[in-house]
Amino acid sequence: MKIAAHLGKFGNLDASLQRLDPRSDSELWIWTAMNAGVHLLNAALHNAGVTREVDSFHTQVEGLYAVPDRTRGVFTDVLHEPGDVMHVGQPPIAQPLPSEIQQACVSLKVIEDLREPHVRGSEPIRPGAEDEWVRAYRDCVERLLGALGTKGKTQ
Amino acid sequence: MTPEEHRAKALRIEHSLARLTDADYEAIVEGAMLAGTHWFNILLHRTKLFPETRDAMHAEFLTVGERRRVAAKAADALAALDSIEALRTLQVRGDMPGGEQAARTARECLARLRNAAGR
């Protein structure tokens, strides 16, 4: 997607996240924080020229994009270079990431790695863990907004 | 996971979804996918299509043969999960118009999955 669209999605998801509690709504909190972070990551990657800013949407299948014909309201499946990433490292990006984005990815990966044990699986959450999740999300967001510079200030 | 564990997860996610309005359509579509997949796994385990040691992640990721077997036992549930998953590309990873309608569709499909699993 385009940078402006990613920033809009980040704004929507971040607002939804504020209505959720990281402990009592842990599953949806984790997922929403992850999606918000991935949209901001895509905006930062496009802005840095690491990935291309194109009007296509990542599907559930790694590396496969739906390209919209907005006039006709139809979509074509296309395999192309990123484009948007679905998750950190998916699809892989060949060129090195700017340091601030790389560090944001470390924090975003903390959130992404919660999916299997706590969303798809039912491992108990240890006391206080949600504070670490919130810190990881905030670190990810702050770093990516910083990487976006003035574009990030609209958020 | 066991059906009981899937049910507990699905109900927790549905409780979280109740905090949101249709304006939160991205989170609603995703939550419907998550809760719906837990209901879907209950069906897969109950019908012995998948053992409790193996859960489906997405309906789209089932093999052609698995989809045919699931369709023979739970066609409406499979169609409902397919519909929710299709909304993810357009409304969560994409920015097509109609987000609030997508939220309503996702909730309706989630109800179909819950009913099929027999809450």
Side-chain angles (χ1 to χ4, degrees):
Chain A
M1 289 201 304
K2 298 300 182 75
I3 290 174
H6 284 299
L7 293 176
K9 287 284 168 189
F10 165 72
N12 290 353
L13 287 157
D14 187 65
S16 299
L17 191 66
Q18 306 313 313
R19 289 191 265 287
L20 299 170
D21 179 84
R23 177 154 285 268
S24 60
D25 302 303
S26 56
E27 296 87 355
L28 199 52
W29 191 95
I30 290 166
W31 214 266
T32 304
M34 176 190 71
N35 280 323
V38 169
H39 275 297
L40 208 50
L41 173 61
N42 275 312
L45 290 172
H46 297 338
N47 187 58
V50 175
T51 53
R52 288 194 306 131
E53 182 186 21
V54 290
D55 189 21
S56 66
F57 315 148
H58 206 296
T59 67
Q60 290 187 142
V61 180
E62 184 174 318
L64 181 67
Y65 296 85
V67 177
D69 178 333
R70 292 181 183 269
T71 306
R72 297 167 56 213
V74 296
F75 304 87
T76 307
D77 279 352
V78 176
L79 288 165
H80 65 65
E81 292 297 309
D84 291 348
V85 296
M86 179 165 53
H87 296 295
V88 172
Q90 291 182 263
I93 297 170
Q95 71 182 93
L97 304 184
S99 152
E100 197 68 357
I101 297 178
Q102 181 63 53
Q103 291 176 63
C105 285
V106 172
S107 292
L108 181 54
K109 189 78 166 46
V110 169
I111 306 287
E112 291 188 335
D113 286 348
L114 300 170
R115 288 174 294 167
E116 290 310 313
H118 300 309
V119 182
R120 295 193 174 107
S122 58
E123 282 186 25
I125 298 168
R126 63 179 166 73
E130 64 270 30
D131 296 337
E132 295 169 18
W133 308 348
V134 171
R135 277 198 296 276
Y137 177 71
R138 286 181 181 156
D139 181 74
C140 168
V141 168
E142 284 172 17
R143 289 183 186 281
L144 292 174
L145 288 177
L148 281 158
T150 53
K151 286 180 183 168
K153 286 191 170 58
T154 59
Q155 290 305 303
Chain B
M1 293 206 304
T2 66
E4 292 72 25
E5 289 171 319
H6 284 301
R7 179 172 290 102
K9 279 286 175 189
L11 291 174
R12 272 180 58 87
I13 296 166
E14 291 194 355
H15 184 265
S16 300
L17 286 171
R19 294 177 182 267
L20 305 178
T21 70
D22 290 350
D24 301 295
Y25 57 86
E26 294 97 343
I28 288 175
V29 168
E30 292 292 90
M33 179 276 294
L34 294 170
T37 303
H38 281 297
W39 292 124
F40 188 66
N41 274 305
I42 291 174
L43 274 169
L44 295 181
H45 298 331
R46 184 188 299 147
T47 54
K48 311 291 186 198
L49 290 168
F50 275 34
E52 292 179 9
T53 51
R54 183 187 169 208
D55 292 336
M57 180 183 292
H58 295 305
E60 186 178 20
F61 291 176
L62 298 174
T63 66
V64 172
E66 287 167 346
R67 284 185 63 89
R68 288 184 66 180
R69 283 192 284 274
V70 174
K73 295 249 188 180
D76 187 63
L78 179 61
L81 191 53
D82 279 340
S83 295
I84 294 171
E85 290 180 11
L87 291 172
R88 303 184 74 205
T89 298
L90 307 185
Q91 302 293 344
V92 183
R93 296 192 175 122
D95 64 340
M96 295 305 288
E100 296 200 4
Q101 177 57 51
R104 291 190 286 274
T105 301
R107 288 190 195 274
E108 289 164 10
C109 290
L110 177 56
R112 286 162 54 193
L113 281 151
R114 184 191 320 119
N115 291 338
R119 179 176 181 173

